Amino acid sequence: MDWYDAVFELIDMRSFSNLWYWIALAVVWSTTSHWVLGVPYDMVLRARDHGGEAESDLRDMVRINTSRQLYIAQVSGLWLIALVSMLLTGLAILGFFYGVEFAQAVFLIALPMTFVGLLTVSTARGIVQHQSVGPDLHRRMLNHRRATQVIGMVSIFVTAMWGMYKNLDVGAFGP
């Protein structure tokens, strides 16, 4: 067995039967639900429970991150929409029309993350428009986190169902 075969035996290129894909999926959604608008969620809880300096720190972090998100959306939003649409379309065609399993796997992570990105911009816009502080800010951050978690749960469920289907399909009929 040469080096090339050893590497590809270790890193199975069939995504849905690969443990590393499922670990990466769990890390993506765990990280995404922990970082609410770029702010760690424990910071939101600490500000809600203790107030004072923790609340001031939260306000500053949210102000910096919402300004950044809205600036990016305003300056390059249309280009980002075009680029992401092109990439998602390419992945969908490669994955589901041509049957490239790796493209299916990336698509099943990228599409829901696109919804999280849109939700992030929407939440940032709402925080800035309503000048949210204190309990209103905490509520908006909590709602954003819950919505992200719902998107993540649906995404993981759909990905698991598709992955099981692909594994059973390949297992039954060969590669």
Side-chain angles (χ1 to χ4, degrees), residues 23-72:
I23 291 171
L25 182 71
V27 168
V28 163
W29 284 110
S30 175
T31 304
T32 301
S33 68
H34 178 68
W35 290 87
V36 182
L37 292 174
V39 178
Y41 190 68
D42 60 288
M43 190 176 207
V44 177
L45 295 177
R46 193 170 47 251
R48 185 187 68 189
D49 294 342
H50 301 293
E53 187 176 341
E55 180 69 34
S56 176
D57 291 346
L58 175 67
R59 257 185 283 129
D60 291 341
M61 286 279 291
V62 169
R63 180 185 51 78
I64 290 167
N65 286 322
T66 54
S67 296
R68 186 174 158 268
Q69 293 287 338
L70 293 176
Y71 177 76
I72 291 170

Side-chain angles (χ1 to χ4, degrees), residues 14-27 102 104-109 159:
R14 286 189 40 246
S15 301
F16 297 114
S17 63
N18 190 335
L19 178 63
W20 291 108
Y21 175 75
W22 297 104
I23 291 171
L25 182 71
V27 168
F102 183 74
Q104 293 172 2
V106 173
F107 180 82
L108 289 171
I109 293 176
T159 302

Side-chain angles (χ1 to χ4, degrees), residues 1-11:
M1 179 184 295
D2 65 348
W3 181 82
Y4 184 78
D5 290 334
V7 168
F8 278 98
E9 185 175 321
L10 178 65
I11 304 171

